[in-house]
Structure formats: structure tokens, C-alpha cells
């Protein structure tokens, strides 16, 4: 136990010997090329004084800089030389294709315009590939520059679905997606067991046979008309680690259970403290419980009790290595891929009511105005008194505010918990007010929740909006995460911090353009408070969703780092993840650090300098991998959600629906529906006139109308003029702008690209 006062698979790298040189940063490498000219990787390393032992890492740094658009490797018959892009006609970026088979090259340097590529100049590149392009003609007026693909640097991750056909020297896979420029060639040694007409999933590899890129079959598809088949595709596409290894399961099975009433002399006994959980109705594990005590002087002591996973998962154990490799649990429609074995996630570390459980407790003492006065972190044992669903808690909170509530929703023991929930609601509001005053950002966009039946069919799509019960738990978890982060910093312990960078000037400029088109202004260097005032200004109005989605796209991605830094959206410089060690490995690492620290304090020793160095090295290695696995989980969740949505919407093809335009591009505009919070594209090719994208007003205007009004290419890319389809011509053709209300017809559900497309309802 420790108290302090507040002011009002193992991927660990080996230790590097002290005499090894640091790898030069991107700016230093670019400056060396600028001053000394292009060179091979090995000679460039010598010029920069890179040690031989570090050459492999240095070479990897060059390729990373190329992916970012800062360098290019000039291809040649011998070893290619590295050069600055601006001194060559070469560029690095991603390829996109339109419906007519032409390509658009999106440079890695986002300040540059897109480049048009004719279908005859695509070579063996596929959409999503990272490619090297040679610029053949510069942009002029409203015409994009043109180029041709020189080579494919890296294939996109996406797998392709198609039909296999045997040939004399191998086979070809005809892709389902008509936008793919060619079939995929499968070599003779990769077609064993495949039959003509068989449905397969293929991954592109390096090289090509003529115009056909090489590929390998990763999955033979069966029973495609099911959500289970969609899962198998997503599983293969993102290489998801579904089953736990035998050794991990056995190690978990051998862990001893906590016996009710057992003595725990080295832990704080909180079994008499009224604690309870509040979770979704369909939750399977309960890893956080809360308590609240009224203290003298109007103070409130909040207890956030988190399942003590670190008691069971020792650093370096098989379970620990597996959890680090997985990084996070993955939540897909109808299933969960857990980070930890079921024995832990749904048993030993699940805070079920009326059962003794081991936890780490963060006691936070607040003043009546929500100011944090004291933090205490301890190892403890609790006994949850009640499991609330969000619906039950919300019904009690609403009834306390005098709102009309269905009596069937109120639990029979509500009177026993009314007082404590009322105090919790008061504290929640105080914490939220305090975050508002310091400049935190609050968005309120509805989320999708897809309901899947027991037989694996999508049976409904729900709109989930924030409510007082959800926000109560959210505020308490945020407070605990921040308090633990500050505790780790004050105790000079290693921290796996959660940071969120401020938006870049370029993204803010794009957002400012969108706001200008909607009639709003935003100063050049806005603070978080400026953005929140903007969100509040449009709240409840027709532009609320458009503005909030635009703002979300302006935000950077939060990441894990081994050093605390700014979390822009929360407006704090100290934040970590502590509250979900069952499902996030960074939380588990924080618990492991605290476990060793608290045990050391109880023994009067503290953590030794050698162990502090160990944990410092540990978080250095965990942070980048945790970011990578988090992104993989997010991408897989989006892909599976899209697949489930397409199944849900398939009976509604041809239906008309209302929505709002949320973003405009040269290739069309995206509409977010009112009925279901999903987005789909209205391609410009489906419009009945020729249209031009005007980036200064973020509008699509009928050709001719926009002339002389700032037309041109926007950073979003695409041609200045986009050809429509049909006989409508210019006469009477409407303009399109963000926030505009439209009625659309659902016209296409592409399961291969997981895209939803609309046409304007006529």
C-alpha cells in the first residue's frame, strides 16, 4: 500500500552496448544527401558514421523514410542510390483506381497533389500498393500531373477474393472486384488441391509474370453466404491470433482460484466496502468495480477497483508473452478474440458479485468541486455487492432526476443504491466540469452496435449514444487513468503513457476550409477550447455530425509511448491506460510495474535501480508493438463491421434513405444516413452532369458554374473536373456542399472492397 499527496511473445529488444552509435534521424539523413549528394545505403551509412552493427537498422530507417515520402531509392541495375525526391522525377505513394481502371497516385507527402496514371501505365501495381512513380508531365491549370509506375515497393495488406482457374504452368485468380487491373498468377507449386472454379482468397506477393502479379492462395472459401465466412476472410487478412497455444491454456488452468473468506495479510481487505460493477447487459467479463464514500468536509473518496491480472500473469511467463504478442482483445460482431485465456478473462479476473476477487485499487479523494486532493494505490481484495447493467443504472439515475421511467426497468433493490448513485452522478458532473474548464474535448457521435443471433446471423443494428450511466463510468475511469499516470511519474517509475498529438497545421487548414464552406470561422492556431465551443455551437443542429466527423478526421491517432506527453483531446500531460488489463497489454504492464513497486514498499525495500532499468527497457520495446496491434485490431473490427453491415443491408438494395453530406471530393461525396449512422459514397460518375470540385468552397459545382471562382485541385486529390454520367448536362444541375441534406438510393454493396455506394434519389 502506498499513499501520496497531490498538489492542489516477448518482443523486448536486447540491451544495446554503450559504444554503439545512435541511428541518425530523418532530418540528419536528408541534410547529408542535400549537402553531399545521392549515394548507396552502405556508403551513406559510412558518411554518417553509422557503426557496422547498426547498418541493418539504418537501412530499415531509409525504407521508412521512403514510405513517408522523404527519400526515394533510385532503381538501377546495380545497388540503387538514395536521393531526395525533389531532385528527381520520382515519387513514392499509394495507388488508387477509379471505376474506369485509371489510377490516381496519392503521394506520401500529403502536401503534394495527386497524379493521374493511365491504365496502360500501371504495370503490375494493384490498388493500395506502395509504389514508385515517375512523373511524366506536370500539372497545368485544372489538369493533374501524369506519371507511370516504375516499381511496386510494397504490396498492400488487403487480400483479394476471386475464382481460381488452372493453366498450363500454374493458374490465375480472377478477382471479384472489377476495379482490379488484372488477374493474379499462382505458380505451379501453389495450386495443389485447388480446382477450377474454386473460390479463394489470394495475397499479392512480389514480382509478376507479364502483366499478372504473383500471388499465393491463403484460404479456400466455403459457404460464403455467412458471417462466419466473413470472419475467416478477416482472420486471414489481418492474421488474427484466434486460438491460444496449448502451453498458455495449461499455464492458465494451473492458476489457483481465490477462496471466499481467505485471509490476505499483504492486501487491504475491502470486502465490506460497498462495491459494484456497471457494464453492458451482454458483458461476459467484469474487470472494473467502483465505490464511493462520503468523507468529512464534503469530500468524496472514489474507489476504482481493477482486476489484478498482474497477480496471475508474471512477467516473462507464457501467458505474458502471449498477451504481449496479441497486444489487445479484438471485439468483432458476434465474437471476441480475447487477449487472455478464458480461465483468466471470464473467471479469475472477472469481478462477479458475491465472490472474493483480487484487485488493484486507486482511491481518489476529491473536494466538493471535483479537485483531486489525494491519490492512494494499493493491492486489495474486494467482494462485489451488485452487478448493474447500464440500463438499470440509467433507470435509477433518470428516476432521481424526476424523469418518467418504465417501472419494469427499475431494479427491485433500487432504494438501497439511490443515495450512492446520486453522489456518483454529482461527482461525475464535477469531474466533467473540471475537464471542461481545463480545455478537454467532448464529442457525441452515435456508435453502431451490430446484434448477431446465436446462429450467427445479423439480426439488427443499434444506435448507441452516450447516456448518464455510460458517462459516469467513463469519467471515473478517465480520472483513475490520469491519477495513476501522475503517480508513476511522481514515483519515478516507468510509464507506458497514452499520448495524443495536437492536429497538424495542414489538417487544421483542411478543417478550416470545411468550416468556411459551412459558414464558420476558426483561428489559425486554435486551442482545444475553441474546438469545443464550435462543437457546442452546432450541437443538436443539422451540421453537428458533419462538423464532428470533420473534427475527428483532423485529430491525430493516440499512441503508446515510453514517456508521458500531451494528450490533446483530454488536455493533460499525464495519462496512461490502467483500467483494462484483461483486454489491453499496456494496462497489464502498468499493473506489473505497480505490483513490483508496491510489494517493494511493503517490504521496506522499494524498487532497485536494476529493476527500474529493466522496466524502462521493457516499456521501450512494448510501446511500438502495442501501437501496431491496436491498429490491427481497429482495422479488423472496421472490416468485420463493414462485412456485417453489408449482409444486413443487402435486402434493402434500391431503398431510398435520408442523410447529410459529410465530405466532398473530386470523385464524389460521402453521405451519412439518418436512420443508421453509416457512411456511403455517391460517386461523381453517377451524377447527371459534368462536375468540378472547388476546394476553396468544398463544393461540387456543375461544370462552367465554378469557373472563375477558385476552381482547382484540392489536397484531397482527384481531377479538377470530374465527368458525370447521363444526359442531364449543365442546365438545372444542383451544387453539392458539406452539411447539405439529400435523399439517396442504396445501389451497391461491394463485399470485396467492403464499400457502400449510393446514387441520388431521382
Amino acid at each position: 500500500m502506498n499513499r501520496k499527496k497531490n498538489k492542489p511473445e516477448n518482443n523486448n529488444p536486447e540491451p544495446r552496448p554503450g559504444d554503439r552509435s545512435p541511428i541518425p534521424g530523418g532530418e540528419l539523413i536528408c541534410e547529408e544527401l542535400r549537402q553531399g549528394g545521392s549515394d548507396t545505403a552502405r556508403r551513406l551509412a559510412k558518411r554518417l558514421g553509422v557503426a557496422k552493427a547498426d547498418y541493418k537498422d539504418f537501412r530499415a530507417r531509409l525504407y521508412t523514410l521512403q514510405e513517408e515520402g522523404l527519400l526515394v531509392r533510385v532503381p538501377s541495375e546495380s545497388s540503387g542510390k538514395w536521393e531526395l525526391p525533389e531532385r528527381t522525377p520520382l515519387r513514392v505513394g499509394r495507388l488508387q483506381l477509379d471505376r474506369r481502371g485509371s489510377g490516381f497516385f496519392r503521394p506520401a507527402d500529403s502536401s503534394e497533389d495527386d497524379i493521374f496514371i493511365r491504365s496502360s501505365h500501371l504495370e503490375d501495381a494493384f490498388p493500395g500498393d506502395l509504389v514508385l512513380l515517375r512523373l511524366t508531365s506536370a500539372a497545368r491549370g485544372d489538369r493533374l500531373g501524369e506519371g507511370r509506375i516504375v516499381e511496386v515497393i510494397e504490396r498492400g495488406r488487403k487480400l483479394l477474393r476471386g475464382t481460381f482457374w488452372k493453366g498450363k504452368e500454374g493458374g490465375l485468380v480472377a478477382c471479384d472486384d472489377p476495379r482490379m487491373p488484372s488477374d493474379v498468377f499462382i505458380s505451379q507449386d501453389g495450386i495443389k488441391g485447388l480446382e477450377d472454379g474454386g473460390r479463394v482468397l489470394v495475397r499479392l506477393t512480389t514480382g509478376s509474370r507479364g502483366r499478372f502479379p504473383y500471388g499465393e492462395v491463403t484460404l479456400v472459401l466455403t459457404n460464403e453466404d455467412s458471417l462466419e465466412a466473413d470472419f475467416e476472410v478477416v482472420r486471414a487478412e489481418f492474421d488474427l491470433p484466434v486460438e491460444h497455444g496449448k502451453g498458455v491454456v495449461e499455464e492458465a488452468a494451473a492458476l489457483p482460484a481465490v477462496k471466499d473468506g481467505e485471509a490476505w495479510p499483504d492486501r487491504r481487505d475491502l470486502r465490506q466496502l460497498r462495491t459494484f460493477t456497471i457494464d453492458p447487459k451482454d458483458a461476459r467479463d467484469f474487470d472494473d468495480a467502483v465505490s464511493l464514500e462520503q468523507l468529512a468536509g464534503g469530500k468524496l473518496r472514489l474507489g476504482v477497483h481493477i482486476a489484478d491480472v498482474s497477480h496471475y500473469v508474471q512477467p516473462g511467463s507464457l501467458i505474458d508473452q502471449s498477451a504481449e504478442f496479441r497486444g489487445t482483445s479484438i471485439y468483432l460482431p458476434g465474437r471476441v478474440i480475447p487477449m487472455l485465456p478464458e480461465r483468466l478473462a471470464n473467471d479469475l479476473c472477472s469481478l462477479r458479485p458475491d465472490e472474493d476477487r483480487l484487485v488493484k485499487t486507486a482511491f481518489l479523494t476529491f473536494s466538493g468541486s471535483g479537485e483531486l486532493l489525494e491519490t492512494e494505490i494499493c493491492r486489495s481484495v474486494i467482494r462485489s455487492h451488485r452487478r448493474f447493467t447500464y440500463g438499470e443504472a440509467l433507470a435509477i439515475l433518470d428516476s432521481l432526476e424526476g424523469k418518467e421511467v418504465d417501472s419494469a426497468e427499475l431494479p427491485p433493490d433500487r432504494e438501497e443504491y439511490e443515495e450512492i448513485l446520486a453522489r456518483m452522478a454529482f461527482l461525475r458532473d464535477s469531474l466533467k466540469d473540471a475537464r471542461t474548464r481545463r480545455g478537454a474535448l467532448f464529442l457525441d457521435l452515435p456508435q453502431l452496435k451490430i446484434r448477431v443471433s446465436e446462429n450467427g446471423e445479423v439480426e439488427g443494428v443499434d444506435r448507441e449514444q452516450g447516456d448518464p450511466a455510460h458517462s459516469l463510468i467513463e469519467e471515473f475511469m478517465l480520472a483513475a487513468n490520469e491519477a495513476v499516470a501522475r503517480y508513476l511519474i511522481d514515483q519515478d517509475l516507468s510509464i507506458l503513457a497514452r499520448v495524443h498529438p495536437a492536429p497538424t497545421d495542414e489538417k487544421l487548414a483542411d478543417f478550416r476550409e470545411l468550416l468556411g464552406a459551412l459558414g464558420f470561422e476558426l483561428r489559425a492556431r486554435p486551442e482545444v477550447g475553441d474546438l469545443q465551443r464550435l462543437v457546442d455551437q452546432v450541437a443538436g443542429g443539422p451540421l453537428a455530425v458533419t462538423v464532428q466527423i470533420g473534427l475527428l478526421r483532423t485529430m491525430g491517432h493516440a499512441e503508446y509511448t515510453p514517456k508521458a506527453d500531451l494528450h490533446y483531446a483530454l488536455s493533460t500531460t499525464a495519462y496512461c491506460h490502467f483500467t483494462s488489463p484483461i483486454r489491453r497489454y499496456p494496462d497489464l504492464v502498468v499493473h506489473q510495474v505497480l505490483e513490483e513497486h508496491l510489494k517493494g514498499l511493503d517490504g521496506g525495500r522499494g524498487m532497485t535501480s536494476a529493476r527500474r532499468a529493466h522496466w524502462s527497457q521493457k516499456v521501450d520495446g512494448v510501446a511500438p508493438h502495442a501501437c501496431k496491434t491496436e491498429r490491427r485490431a481497429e482495422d479488423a473490427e472496421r472490416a468485420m463491421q463493414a462485412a456485417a453491415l453489408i449482409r444486413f443491408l443487402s435486402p434493402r438494395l434500391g431503398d431510398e434513405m435520408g442523410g447529410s453530406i459529410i465530405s466532398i471530393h473530386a470523385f464524389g461525396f460521402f453521405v451519412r444516413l439518418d436512420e443508421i449512422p453509416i457512411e456511403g459514397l455517391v460517386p461523381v460518375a453517377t451524377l447527371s452532369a459534368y462536375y468540378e470540385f472547388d476546394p476553396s468552397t468544398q463544393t461540387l459545382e456543375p461544370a462552367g458554374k465554378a469557373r472563375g471562382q477558385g476552381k482547382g485541385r484540392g489536397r484531397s486529390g482527384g481531377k479538377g473536373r470530374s465527368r458525370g454520367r447521363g444526359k442531364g448536362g449543365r442546365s438545372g444541375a444542383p451544387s453539392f456542399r458539406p452539411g447539405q441534406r439529400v435523399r439517396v438510393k442504396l445501389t451497391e454493396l461491394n463485399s470485396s472492397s467492403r464499400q457502400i455506394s449510393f446514387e441520388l434519389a431521382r
Side-chain angles (χ1 to χ4, degrees), residues 17-312:
D19 59 349
R20 290 175 66 176
S21 60
I23 303 299
E27 290 184 7
L28 182 60
I29 294 173
C30 290
E31 184 59 28
E32 178 63 31
L33 288 171
R34 191 172 291 110
Q35 298 296 327
S38 63
D39 216 334
T40 63
R42 195 165 291 280
R43 288 199 294 263
L44 186 58
K46 188 175 181 181
R47 282 163 51 180
L48 288 164
V50 176
K52 289 183 179 180
D54 285 326
Y55 174 70
K56 184 177 179 181
D57 290 341
F58 172 74
R59 192 165 179 267
R61 172 70 57 82
L62 295 179
Y63 280 99
T64 299
L65 293 173
Q66 177 175 245
E67 188 172 348
E68 295 171 356
L70 299 176
L71 299 181
V72 291
R73 183 176 181 274
V74 181
S76 66
E77 293 182 1
S78 58
S79 57
K81 291 186 176 181
W82 292 89
E83 180 59 287
L84 300 173
E86 59 265 28
R87 300 204 297 212
T88 77
L90 300 173
R91 298 290 184 270
V92 174
R94 296 280 175 184
L95 175 66
Q96 295 183 346
L97 296 184
D98 64 17
R99 294 185 173 193
R100 295 182 290 273
S102 297
F104 289 95
F105 172 87
R106 186 145 293 178
D109 183 350
S110 57
S111 67
E112 296 186 357
D113 289 330
D114 289 2
I115 298 171
F116 178 71
I117 310 171
R118 300 180 187 276
S119 57
S120 56
H121 293 164
L122 292 172
E123 299 301 326
D124 64 337
F126 266 49
D129 289 351
L130 183 70
V131 298
L132 184 67
L133 172 136
R134 183 178 298 277
L135 192 64
T136 56
S137 66
R140 289 179 299 173
D142 65 353
R143 293 177 61 87
L144 291 178
E146 292 195 22
R148 65 185 308 152
I149 302 295
V150 176
E151 67 180 20
V152 175
I153 298 173
E154 180 182 87
R155 291 293 186 190
R157 283 195 54 140
K158 183 181 175 184
L159 299 180
L160 300 169
R161 203 184 302 214
T163 304
F164 173 79
W165 302 101
K166 286 183 180 178
K168 292 183 179 179
E169 300 180 9
L172 291 175
V173 174
C175 301
D176 291 355
D177 193 333
R179 291 172 297 181
M180 297 301 107
S182 71
D183 294 343
V184 179
F185 181 78
I186 310 297
S187 62
Q188 188 70 41
D189 57 358
I191 67 172
K192 185 177 180 181
L194 300 180
E195 298 181 358
D196 271 357
R199 300 284 295 153
V200 296
L201 206 63
V202 63
R203 185 190 303 278
L204 298 179
T205 57
T206 56
S208 62
R209 184 182 180 89
R211 64 186 181 90
F212 302 118
Y214 283 118
E216 59 183 9
V217 173
T218 62
L219 183 67
V220 176
L221 300 173
T222 58
N223 190 25
E224 288 187 81
D225 191 26
S226 68
L227 197 61
E228 181 63 27
D230 293 331
F231 169 71
E232 291 300 329
V233 170
V234 170
R235 174 183 182 174
E237 181 174 343
F238 296 99
D239 194 21
L240 301 182
V242 179
E243 294 83 11
H244 286 91
K246 182 180 178 182
V248 174
V249 174
E250 290 176 347
E251 190 173 270
L255 293 170
V258 173
K259 298 178 181 178
D260 289 344
E262 185 176 355
W264 292 92
D266 61 340
R267 289 178 175 267
R268 177 86 70 86
D269 192 339
L270 301 176
R271 282 174 280 201
Q272 299 306 312
L273 181 65
R274 177 173 291 185
T275 61
F276 50 88
T277 60
I278 306 178
D279 291 285
K281 186 176 182 179
D282 57 355
R284 295 179 59 196
D285 53 70
F286 318 104
D287 59 347
D288 57 80
V290 291
S291 63
L292 191 67
E293 300 165 90
Q294 180 76 58
L295 305 181
K299 298 177 184 178
L300 291 171
R301 186 166 77 156
L302 170 69
V304 177
H305 314 275
I306 307 300
D308 196 353
V309 182
S310 62
H311 172 81
Y312 300 101

Side-chain angles (χ1 to χ4, degrees), residues 486-644:
R486 294 199 180 281
Y487 177 88
L488 291 169
I489 294 168
D490 290 347
Q491 296 293 320
D492 196 27
L493 297 170
S494 295
I495 182 172
L496 196 50
R498 185 71 168 174
V499 303
H500 182 216
T504 63
D505 290 343
E506 182 187 357
K507 287 197 171 185
L508 281 172
D510 289 341
F511 185 51
R512 200 174 293 109
E513 282 186 350
L514 170 64
L515 292 177
L518 298 174
F520 300 100
E521 292 184 357
L522 186 69
R523 60 177 175 164
R525 294 189 177 276
E527 296 180 353
V528 183
D530 298 317
L531 300 176
Q532 186 60 50
R533 281 188 289 275
L534 175 66
V535 171
D536 294 340
Q537 184 179 350
V538 299
L543 297 178
V545 170
T546 303
V547 169
Q548 289 192 75
I549 290 178
L551 179 54
L552 270 179
R553 292 172 176 168
T554 303
M555 297 288 113
H557 197 287
E559 294 185 332
Y560 296 105
T561 68
K563 182 179 180 181
D565 205 338
L566 174 69
H567 194 295
Y568 182 79
L570 296 176
S571 192
T572 180
T573 54
Y575 195 73
C576 71
H577 276 164
F578 161 77
T579 54
S580 291
I582 281 182
R583 63 183 181 91
R584 292 187 302 232
Y585 190 69
D587 302 54
L588 176 52
V589 171
V590 167
H591 276 244
Q592 289 173 337
V593 172
L594 288 171
E595 178 81 356
E596 187 167 331
H597 171 70
L598 294 174
K599 277 186 173 180
L601 290 182
D602 288 344
R605 301 182 308 277
M607 193 182 293
T608 66
S609 58
R611 294 301 298 169
R612 288 177 184 271
H614 163 80
W615 285 114
S616 177
Q617 180 190 344
K618 171 81 173 181
V619 298
D620 279 345
V622 168
H625 181 69
C627 293
K628 182 178 178 181
T629 55
E630 180 183 53
R631 292 286 183 92
R632 176 181 66 179
E634 290 172 351
D635 291 345
E637 288 162 10
R638 276 194 294 267
M640 194 64 197
Q641 184 181 76

